[in-house]
Amino acid sequence: MRVNRPAALAIAGVMAMSALAACGSGGGSTAAANSGVLNIGMPNGPLTDNNNPFLPSSASSSLGYKFMIYEPLVMLNSAQPSAPGKAWLATKWAWSNNFSTLTATVRPGVTWSDGKAMTAADVAYTFDLLKSNATLNINALPITSTSSTGNTATINFKSSQFVNQYKILTQTFIVPQHVWSKIANPATDTIKNPVGTGPYTLKSFTSQTVVLDERSSYWQALPQVKELRYTSYNDNNAQTTALATGAAEWSFVFIPNVKAVYEDKDPAHYKIWFPPTLGVHGLWFNTTKAPLNNPALRKAISMVINRHDIFEQGEDGYFYPPVTNITGIPTPAGNSFIASQYANSNVTPNVAAAKQVLTQAGYKLNGTTLMDPSGKPVTFTLSDPAGWSDYQTDLAIIKDNVAQIGVNVKIDKANEDAWTKNVDTGEFDAVMHWTNSGATPYDLYESMMDGAQFKPVGTGGVNGDWGRFNDPQATAALQQYADATTDTARTQALNTLQQIMVAQTPMVPTSAVNVGGEYSTKHWVGWPGPTNQYAPAQPTLPNALDIVMHLKPATS
């Protein structure tokens, strides 16, 4: 499974993925009667003791518990991107100078978990920390200066941040200046004792289980969940078993045959909700290295990938819907954004046409092996964590698909921790991965081809452009969209991005993103869902804290 993290959801986020070997891998027994504990699981495999909230590869990011310790200025809801934000550490916030200046009024009476007061200076310091440390600034926010006066913090940016409001207000969590200013290298420090304004503190850490305890005081009413117990299962199957037995009560994981395997085990309490977003999953290429630095090869690969098979077999016909429009924009959600010339341009596997594209670019078949223009056989490695069963099925399908054009690929079933680091630093050939999501296709295209986020292979700290695609025209179009003051200007920029997507194929979208989750109402009620969409249901997004704050013990 994957999480748009931290990510992703990204958003990350951003989405995420994983699982475990059930109780045999340390999943624990079925949850007992409500004892104030909420059991959260993700299928991310063994964890390294790293609580640095800025690093996508840290355990706190992988499992999402950083969002219970650190808090944002505002809670924006990616399940309802047009809804107004919920005041959090900021009681008021305002944009000026065409969204290039943010003024935030900081909530009074907030304390850090070590008892010291949180102030506007901490907010200014956090953004200054990002400005000074590119590795921490994974959203590549163009911060120019920060200041604070009394309870007001002011953050200035180089350009309009209209498109980055979620990243700034919700994805950016505030850290204490009195702690972080003493850290010699914040980009590598593992933060053994995280200090935040959230209602929980770190109690214990093992490679599989992380426990958070509720603080004695908090700026709002304390949550009724007294302890959060995060378990990192070894793979999707183990995570599914934990959910089905009640050992885990909340997760985001791919479950084949979800109704029979999960929901029917306890129809009264076992629930799923997967609200969609304008983001995609798909095959990412490392565009900086041969053979995938050639757009003709990337285009040909896209032309033979069977997205229907990926949906029906890899995603079990429900998890991530197929994306078939040539622009990579999910439909029908993105129909209004697709340029007229591409409105009816859907991708279906076409081996003959793919071979023609390759021939025109100087490739030749030597028997059943594709040779590149220099005469070398075309081969590369597909990599994703071993436990992410849906992605592994997707990779197997892609391997068979590209064999039809003479491409021989290997599949690497990687360790999740190592894989995350390699994706972050660009040290891979091709991987299944996700894009960020947003209210428009801007975020997914920014994830794919924003040269402003480009970092050389070997350098980490990215939250987009994982494939290291660097085209000046794409970067300029993204900036034009971000700076635009009219819908007409945004449409023109978005049409340019679609043309680049079709011509150069920086990655191959195969499926649409959801920000969903599985949860049990047996011990806790108050979860978001179709009739109460106050937050996305994924436990690894910033809004997970808002969900925990809503939970109450079930009465029976």
Side-chain angles (χ1 to χ4, degrees):
M1 168 214 126
R2 65 218 127 253
V3 305
N4 270 8
R5 315 160 193 338
L9 92 113
I11 306 104
V14 125
M15 299 217 57
M17 318 194 16
S18 4
L20 142 117
C23 299
S25 289
S29 58
T30 301
N34 193 311
S35 58
V37 176
L38 175 63
N39 292 281
I40 305 165
M42 288 295 292
N44 293 354
L47 302 169
T48 301
D49 190 359
N50 187 335
N51 301 296
N52 191 319
F54 292 107
L55 303 182
S57 59
S58 73
S60 67
S61 296
S62 175
L63 294 182
Y65 63 84
K66 68 181 181 183
F67 297 120
M68 304 297 169
I69 297 173
Y70 301 95
E71 298 182 288
L73 294 172
V74 183
M75 282 287 185
L76 294 171
N77 180 2
S78 59
Q80 292 189 314
S82 62
K86 182 182 295 185
W88 214 259
L89 291 184
T91 58
K92 298 178 183 178
W93 60 99
W95 291 97
S96 58
N97 300 326
N98 189 27
F99 289 89
S100 64
T101 298
L102 171 66
T103 303
T105 301
V106 176
R107 184 179 298 278
V110 178
T111 60
W112 299 103
S113 57
D114 62 4
K116 297 184 183 297
M118 190 273 289
T119 68
D122 291 306
V123 175
Y125 170 79
T126 298
F127 284 92
D128 195 54
L129 181 68
L130 298 181
K131 173 179 175 290
S132 304
N133 294 269
T135 300
L136 306 184
N137 189 10
I138 63 173
N139 289 314
L141 300 175
I143 303 162
T144 57
S145 64
T146 68
S147 63
S148 63
T149 303
N151 66 342
T152 300
T154 301
I155 317 299
N156 294 304
F157 300 88
K158 183 179 180 180
S159 57
S160 171
Q161 297 303 293
F162 174 81
V163 297
N164 287 332
Q165 294 180 73
Y166 178 82
K167 295 175 182 177
I168 293 166
L169 297 172
T170 301
Q171 283 190 330
T172 301
F173 37 82
I174 307 305
V175 298
Q177 181 177 8
H178 67 276
V179 173
W180 283 78
S181 62
K182 298 175 182 177
I183 297 174
N185 191 340
T188 59
D189 198 295
T190 57
I191 315 299
K192 294 296 184 180
N193 182 31
V195 175
T197 59
Y200 295 94
T201 58
L202 180 64
K203 178 182 180 181
S204 63
F205 183 98
T206 71
S207 62
Q208 187 176 24
T209 302
V210 180
V211 178
L212 304 187
D213 262 353
E214 186 180 64
R215 290 173 54 182
S216 59
S217 62
Y218 180 50
W219 61 266
Q220 57 182 318
L222 283 165
Q224 297 191 41
V225 179
K226 303 305 177 185
E227 180 178 286
L228 299 173
R229 196 170 295 163
Y230 290 82
T231 299
S232 186
Y233 294 97
N234 288 341
D235 55 33
N236 286 8
N237 292 334
Q239 177 65 78
T240 298
T241 299
L243 284 166
T245 61
E249 300 170 277
W250 187 15
S251 185
F252 172 68
V253 63
F254 170 67
I255 303 177
N257 195 15
V258 65
K259 187 175 187 300
V261 172
Y262 174 61
E263 292 177 283
D264 286 351
K265 299 298 183 183
D266 188 347
H269 300 112
Y270 289 177
K271 309 295 181 182
I272 65 171
W273 183 49
F274 290 92
T277 67
L278 280 175
V280 299
H281 293 262
L283 183 65
W284 289 75
F285 306 113
N286 187 331
T287 64
T288 67
K289 59 182 291 191
L292 296 169
N293 59 343
N294 191 319
L297 177 60
R298 300 196 299 262
K299 185 174 183 177
I301 289 171
S302 177
M303 293 172 72
V304 299
I305 289 179
N306 193 317
R307 293 153 176 82
H308 176 78
D309 285 353
I310 286 175
F311 176 59
E312 293 295 338
Q313 299 173 35
E315 306 304 331
D316 204 46
Y318 83 96
F319 199 59
Y320 293 130
V323 174
T324 58
N325 188 270
I326 196 171
T327 65
I329 296 175
T331 57
N335 281 347
S336 63
F337 298 103
I338 297 175
S340 57
Q341 68 264 39
Y342 302 128
N344 298 310
S345 299
N346 293 317
V347 180
T348 56
N350 192 330
V351 174
K355 288 181 177 179
Q356 185 176 8
V357 167
L358 292 169
T359 299
Q360 292 173 347
Y363 290 82
K364 296 180 180 179
L365 273 174
N366 182 5
T368 59
T369 300
L370 183 68
M371 312 299 288
D372 71 15
S374 70
K376 296 179 181 179
V378 177
T379 181
F380 57 88
T381 298
L382 299 168
S383 178
D384 275 288
W388 297 1
S389 57
D390 54 338
Y391 269 8
Q392 287 297 328
T393 301
D394 296 347
L395 294 184
I397 291 169
I398 291 170
K399 178 179 180 178
D400 289 343
N401 293 160
V402 300
Q404 299 175 90
I405 54 174
V407 177
N408 177 37
V409 302
K410 298 177 182 179
I411 294 178
D412 172 35
K413 297 184 177 182
N415 168 272
E416 193 270 344
D417 189 46
W419 178 87
T420 300
K421 292 178 181 177
N422 287 341
V423 170
D424 185 45
T425 57
E427 295 172 295
F428 64 91
D429 291 343
V431 297
M432 287 294 292
H433 198 273
W434 52 90
T435 68
N436 294 327
S437 305
T440 76
Y442 170 86
D443 294 85
L444 69 88
Y445 281 146
E446 183 197 34
S447 295
M448 296 178 191
M449 45 185 164
D450 186 6
Q453 298 193 54
F454 175 85
K455 292 185 179 181
V457 171
T459 302
V462 301
N463 192 31
D465 198 16
W466 290 281
R468 268 63 181 180
F469 183 80
N470 193 13
D471 180 273
Q473 187 183 15
T475 303
L478 286 164
Q479 191 62 55
Q480 289 164 11
Y481 186 99
D483 291 340
T485 57
T486 67
D487 288 341
T488 298
R490 291 190 186 97
T491 297
Q492 291 173 345
L494 191 59
N495 287 352
T496 297
L497 292 167
Q498 293 176 58
Q499 293 166 9
I500 295 170
M501 179 68 188
V502 172
Q504 298 197 46
T505 317
M507 59 88 68
V508 180
T510 60
S511 313
V513 164
N514 287 313
V515 283
E518 300 91 357
Y519 54 85
S520 170
T521 62
K522 185 173 184 178
H523 298 140
W524 298 102
V525 296
W527 301 94
T531 61
N532 189 14
Q533 300 186 25
Y534 67 85
Q538 193 168 308
T540 55
L541 295 178
N543 308 76
L545 174 56
D546 196 16
I547 293 174
V548 170
M549 296 299 296
H550 276 78
L551 296 183
K552 298 179 180 179
T555 56
S556 60

